[in-house]
Amino acid sequence: MGDRIMDSGTDHTESISRLLNHLRGDQHLHRRTLGVILGLTHIAKKGGERREILKEMVDCLSLELGFENCSILEYDHERQGLVLIAAKGILDLLDESGAEKFNKELCIREGDCIAWKVFSSKEPIFIEDTSIENIPRVSKGNVKIRSMACLPLGELGVINLSTSCPRSFSITQRRDLIIIAELISNLMETLDLKGKGEVSSTYVHRIIEAKTRELAQSKQELKEALELFDSMIHGVPQGLALIDLGGRIYSINDALCNMAKATPKELLQLPFDVLFQRHSDIEKISSAIKAGKMVQINSGILRAVNGELVPVDIFYHPFSLKGHGIGGMLIFHDLRGQRKRLEEMVQIEKMKALSLMAKGVAHDFNNILSMILGNIEILDRELENESHKERLNRIHNAVVEGAKIVERLNAYVGGGEEGGRLNTRSLPTVVDQAIDFLTPRIKELRDKEGVVVDFNVDVEEVGEVLIDPEDLKEVLVNMLLNSLEAMPDGGTVTVCARREDEEVKIDIIDSGTGIPKSERSKIFDPFYTTKGVKASGLGLCVSKGIVQNCGGAIALESEEGKGTKFTIRLPLRTSPEAEKPVDKDTLITEPIAIPQALKVLIVDDEFIIVELLTTLLKGLGHNVTGIADPLKARSILKEEVFDLVITDLGMPGVSGFELAKSVKERNPNTKVVLITGWGADYEKKDLRDRGVDGVLGKPFKLAELKRLIRDLFK
């Protein structure tokens, strides 16, 4: 960006031109990173052996991110070192004779190399060119490295990405790689779920076998022993069946009866194979009974009496009870709940990654919107043509609406709260506005395609609904648009709302084609769509997030060929509250008196933001120095004293907080204002202990800047 000093004569048209060129910068990186995230979650979700899943993840990273070599090192407590468990290199694609082999016996211990440094510190390391920055080599390592990124996987290990050529890592690329590493770490933890069934079943078996031996040794009658045994196994959550030496079911517990949809009488004395779907599984269990050996069958299938197939892990444990005719015990571990939990965890990690990505995108958009809004306000002061002013006002309103969309996106994916929001005081009005918003689309369907859609609206006044009216309008528009698209031949959309205790229930019902059963569980997933490239797949996802953030819920009912009903439940205010003042976003503001001729330093690594603030403040009569190099700014602050320092938060080399600390150490009377695209995270916090006197979130209006300066210099 350089350390260019700004003056007020810069042409605004050139500024906007530079801005538009700036927009194209990181779009490809965001799309590629999101694709990698979705690919990794898909690999984890489809299941399989842990090592094979990690190998697939490594393959995905190597191909999608363009690194020649990729490996995962996991900490081995027995060997007390980092052990190579999955690796991929471009040379793997060659013939056997040309392929370079990874050292699968590699074990990195404390102090050996960068990998251990990253593992112990939990901080990533990026090296762009090893010819400039030397790195310690592992004595048994085979990979030739010129540039690399080594990223921590929490307490599990590290992931290495490297190439044989120099490679630069931008701030955006580093951030995205850290996000991907955090996702892999969490996914690796979820993969350990599957082993819990085996551990718990072995534990249950040991307890039961020990008790059975104790009873047998006491020489009590077999009937009494089995009665006691039955009383024990009926309380176990796994499905249990005792099998005699002939392979027949001797006893069965309640959990297995529930799985098999049968009573004990229907199963006792039957061959064990009535519970199995696959012939290969029956053969394995038969062989184990004859040999008196333990056997485990992963991802088996239990066949219920009614024909239902249940995914299970199956364990057979033989007993050594001579003279009693009991061969062993079959244990069935129901995987349905585990799979659901795994899917939920994958969804949580997906949304966590999406949250981090969305926050980065929101930050970039806020920078862009700040530049547009600032130049609009400058031009508004300079132009006299009312027609031009009206066009500027339209652009201004569009920018403000864009800022609100970014704020709502941040609140949804971040699960945060939006400050200063209003509640919906008239539900019928918002419903009418949502339908009016879709009027052009409804007219187009009727005039161009001959599709007639009727609306049946029955909405009561229910009191104050705890959701911003703009948010509620967005949710209703998304629901109604989904209904329109589900009725290719026309039909009726019914919207009704009633108060139920301390909440309002809103039903949106269409007479369309309905949603297939296989798609209903995915309908609220981000980026899931059945409409192809013409839809983003975010409408229903964002709507669900908005409603949940307000303490509400969305439910779906659908029947193919008959239609779909969305039910929205939102909380109502139960006690009166003073009405909050509304901040009207207009270009016209009341005059704000601020001190004149302040000595101001502007610091931001975005040149266009420096240029904008310099122009705005010089226009207000201040003596302004603008600089786009935060390290250079530190040098200037050592030589000069300023009345006011306005600094960005996230900058390469030095952060806004570090700069604020330097300012206060030199002159505590200098006021420091933090401007940031992460404004929603900091605007309501007291940051004076960090050297910051005020926060201005991007995008900001000139009136907000003037008001903040006035308050600081009263």
Side-chain angles (χ1 to χ4, degrees):
M1 294 290 180
D3 55 347
R4 299 175 58 180
I5 307 299
M6 312 309 305
D7 58 45
S8 59
T10 306
D11 182 78
H12 307 304
T13 303
E14 292 181 1
S15 300
I16 294 178
S17 176
R18 284 197 297 273
L19 168 68
L20 294 175
N21 289 329
H22 183 74
L23 299 181
R24 304 181 179 93
D26 291 335
Q27 289 183 358
H28 175 70
L29 284 175
H30 288 309
R31 287 196 299 268
R32 184 179 67 179
T33 302
L34 190 54
V36 172
I37 289 170
L38 294 176
L40 292 174
T41 55
H42 174 73
I43 291 169
K45 188 174 181 180
K46 71 181 183 180
E49 293 296 328
R50 185 175 188 272
R51 186 173 289 272
E52 289 300 316
I53 292 174
L54 295 179
K55 184 179 184 304
E56 281 193 58
M57 288 184 177
V58 165
D59 291 347
C60 174
L61 292 176
S62 180
L63 291 174
E64 296 295 336
L65 297 179
F67 287 93
E68 293 177 22
N69 305 297
C70 176
S71 61
I72 294 178
L73 297 166
E74 187 172 37
Y75 184 73
D76 188 316
H77 291 278
E78 293 184 1
R79 300 175 68 180
Q80 295 187 348
L82 296 171
V83 179
L84 186 65
I85 60 169
K88 176 68 178 179
I90 295 298
L91 294 174
D92 288 342
L93 303 176
L94 302 176
D95 293 335
E96 187 72 22
S97 59
E100 180 176 346
K101 295 297 184 182
F102 287 101
N103 186 353
K104 297 180 180 178
E105 299 301 321
L106 181 66
C107 181
I108 298 173
R109 293 184 172 84
E110 183 173 1
D112 272 359
C113 66
I114 283 179
W116 187 268
K117 182 178 180 181
V118 170
F119 174 67
S120 59
S121 68
K122 304 300 183 288
E123 293 292 334
I125 291 179
F126 298 91
I127 297 177
E128 299 183 342
D129 191 343
T130 58
S131 66
I132 299 174
E133 183 178 355
N134 291 325
I135 62 172
R137 295 296 305 275
V138 180
S139 59
K140 297 181 180 180
N142 295 331
V143 180
K144 297 178 177 62
I145 297 174
R146 188 69 181 273
S147 67
M148 71 173 294
C150 187
L151 307 155
L153 297 175
E155 299 296 333
L156 300 178
V158 300
I159 183 167
N160 285 319
L161 302 165
S162 65
T163 65
S164 59
C165 300
R167 175 169 178 165
S168 61
F169 298 97
S170 67
I171 293 177
T172 300
Q173 290 172 322
R174 294 182 184 211
R175 180 186 65 202
D176 289 353
L177 288 174
I178 291 170
I179 290 171
I180 290 171
E182 290 177 352
L183 174 63
I184 292 174
S185 173
N186 285 296
L187 291 177
M188 287 174 68
E189 291 179 356
T190 65
L191 294 177
D192 293 334
L193 275 176
K194 193 169 185 62
K196 293 183 179 179
E198 180 180 356
V199 172
S200 62
S201 65
T202 303
Y203 178 70
V204 170
H205 162 256
R206 288 174 178 172
I207 292 177
I208 295 174
E209 185 178 38
K211 191 64 179 178
T212 304
R213 285 181 179 278
E214 181 183 330
L215 294 171
Q217 290 172 1
S218 67
K219 296 184 179 181
Q220 295 180 5
E221 297 212 5
L222 180 59
K223 181 178 179 181
E224 294 178 0
L226 291 178
E227 285 178 356
L228 180 58
F229 183 78
D230 285 343
S231 68
M232 293 173 58
I233 68 173
H234 282 305
V236 176
Q238 287 91 356
L240 303 181
L242 292 181
I243 308 298
D244 65 20
L245 295 173
R248 293 185 176 276
I249 299 173
Y250 190 88
S251 180
I252 187 171
N253 74 344
D254 294 339
L256 186 54
C257 287
N258 291 333
M259 287 187 204
K261 301 292 188 292
T263 63
K265 289 182 179 180
E266 292 177 294
L267 295 176
L268 291 177
Q269 298 305 315
L270 292 179
F272 75 88
D273 59 15
V274 299
L275 297 172
F276 285 74
Q277 171 68 13
R278 296 192 296 230
H279 183 69
S280 58
D281 295 343
I282 295 173
E283 289 183 343
K284 290 180 181 178
I285 298 298
S286 297
S287 299
I289 293 173
K290 292 178 181 178
K293 294 182 178 179
M294 186 176 74
V295 68
Q296 173 182 339
I297 301 173
N298 292 324
S299 300
I301 299 175
L302 180 145
R303 184 180 65 209
V305 171
N306 63 357
E308 180 183 350
L309 302 181
V310 181
V312 291
D313 280 345
I314 306 168
F315 306 88
Y316 175 74
H317 298 274
F319 286 155
S320 300
L321 301 174
K322 296 179 180 180
H324 293 294
I326 301 176
M329 177 171 58
L330 276 173
I331 301 178
F332 298 86
H333 183 71
D334 193 340
L335 297 179
R336 288 174 296 185
Q338 179 176 302
R339 287 185 177 181
K340 183 178 179 181
R341 290 194 300 273
L342 183 59
E343 289 174 358
E344 290 173 350
M345 293 182 71
V346 169
Q347 177 70 5
I348 289 171
E349 294 306 321
K350 186 191 299 184
M351 294 308 300
K352 189 184 295 183
L354 183 61
S355 170
L356 294 172
M357 289 292 296
K359 282 183 174 290
V361 172
H363 173 269
D364 295 341
F365 266 88
N366 282 332
N367 276 337
I368 292 164
L369 294 174
S370 293
M371 185 61 188
I372 297 174
L373 188 59
N375 279 283
I376 287 172
E377 295 191 324
I378 293 172
L379 290 173
D380 181 65
R381 291 186 302 175
E382 297 177 354
L383 292 176
E384 297 181 358
N385 187 300
E386 290 300 323
S387 175
H388 291 169
K389 282 179 170 287
E390 178 61 29
R391 290 183 180 275
L392 278 178
N393 193 46
R394 291 176 184 174
I395 298 173
H396 170 274
N397 292 338
V399 172
V400 170
E401 182 61 30
K404 289 180 178 178
I405 292 172
V406 171
E407 183 184 1
R408 287 198 293 270
L409 177 64
N410 250 336
Y412 162 52
V413 297
E417 297 180 359
E418 300 174 72
R421 305 311 305 272
L422 302 174
N423 293 327
T424 299
R425 298 183 181 274
S426 176
L427 180 59
T429 300
V430 176
V431 172
D432 290 341
Q433 289 174 351
I435 295 174
D436 289 343
F437 183 84
L438 293 173
T439 298
R441 175 60 179 155
I442 297 169
K443 187 175 184 298
E444 180 185 14
L445 288 172
R446 184 185 66 231
D447 296 345
K448 290 187 177 181
E449 302 177 26
V451 175
V452 178
V453 177
D454 296 320
F455 280 87
N456 181 16
V457 180
D458 182 15
V459 178
E460 296 179 349
E461 285 286 5
V462 295
E464 190 173 349
V465 188
L466 299 183
I467 183 173
D468 186 277
E470 289 298 319
D471 287 350
L472 179 55
K473 176 183 170 183
E474 180 177 350
V475 171
L476 292 174
V477 166
N478 284 332
M479 300 288 110
L480 292 171
L481 191 57
N482 190 79
S483 294
L484 291 179
E485 291 169 345
M487 299 187 297
D489 299 322
T492 301
V493 178
T494 300
V495 183
C496 56
R498 296 286 183 274
R499 179 171 186 144
E500 294 185 355
D501 296 328
E502 296 181 357
E503 64 180 14
V504 59
K505 176 187 175 187
I506 306 172
D507 289 328
I508 300 173
I509 308 166
D510 66 62
S511 58
T513 57
I515 302 172
K517 187 175 181 180
S518 60
E519 295 179 8
R520 291 172 200 166
S521 62
K522 310 172 190 174
I523 201 73
F524 292 107
D525 286 355
F527 306 107
Y528 181 80
T529 178
T530 59
K531 306 178 187 98
V533 297
K534 68 179 181 179
S536 67
L538 285 173
L540 295 180
C541 171
V542 170
S543 296
K544 183 178 181 181
I546 291 173
V547 171
Q548 288 180 336
N549 282 344
C550 295
I554 292 183
L556 165 71
E557 296 177 32
S558 188
E559 186 174 349
E560 290 190 66
K562 291 189 177 182
T564 299
K565 178 170 81 170
F566 287 98
T567 298
I568 304 169
R569 293 184 179 273
L570 291 165
L572 297 171
R573 181 169 298 285
T574 55
S575 59
E577 181 184 54
E579 186 172 347
K580 298 178 182 178
V582 180
D583 177 24
K584 297 185 181 296
D585 293 308
T586 62
L587 287 175
I588 302 173
T589 59
E590 295 181 3
I592 300 174
I594 64 173
Q596 295 294 312
L598 294 174
K599 188 176 181 181
V600 184
L601 175 65
I602 309 293
V603 186
D604 196 306
D605 61 318
E606 295 284 353
F607 174 76
I608 53 179
I609 300 296
V610 175
E611 179 186 46
L612 168 65
L613 284 168
T614 301
T615 303
L616 287 172
L617 290 173
K618 282 192 173 183
L620 297 175
H622 299 298
N623 180 15
V624 184
T625 300
I627 188 165
D629 184 347
L631 295 176
K632 182 71 173 178
R634 267 188 164 176
S635 301
I636 293 177
L637 286 167
K638 292 179 181 178
E639 300 171 359
E640 300 183 49
V641 176
F642 293 86
D643 299 312
L644 174 65
V645 175
I646 300 178
T647 176
D648 189 21
L649 172 58
M651 300 179 291
V654 57
S655 72
F657 287 130
E658 292 173 318
L659 201 63
K661 183 180 178 182
S662 299
V663 171
K664 293 296 185 179
E665 287 175 351
R666 177 166 174 76
N667 186 4
N669 294 324
T670 299
K671 302 297 183 183
V672 179
V673 171
L674 198 68
I675 56 171
T676 174
W678 312 99
D681 294 337
Y682 295 101
E683 282 179 326
K684 297 196 175 296
K685 294 182 179 179
D686 187 349
L687 301 175
R688 283 175 293 183
D689 60 334
R690 305 189 71 173
V692 176
D693 299 291
V695 178
L696 195 61
K698 300 175 185 177
F700 54 84
K701 296 188 283 291
L702 178 59
E704 295 171 338
L705 176 61
K706 291 168 65 176
R707 187 178 296 110
L708 180 57
I709 295 175
R710 178 199 64 188
D711 293 343
L712 291 177
F713 290 91
K714 282 183 179 179

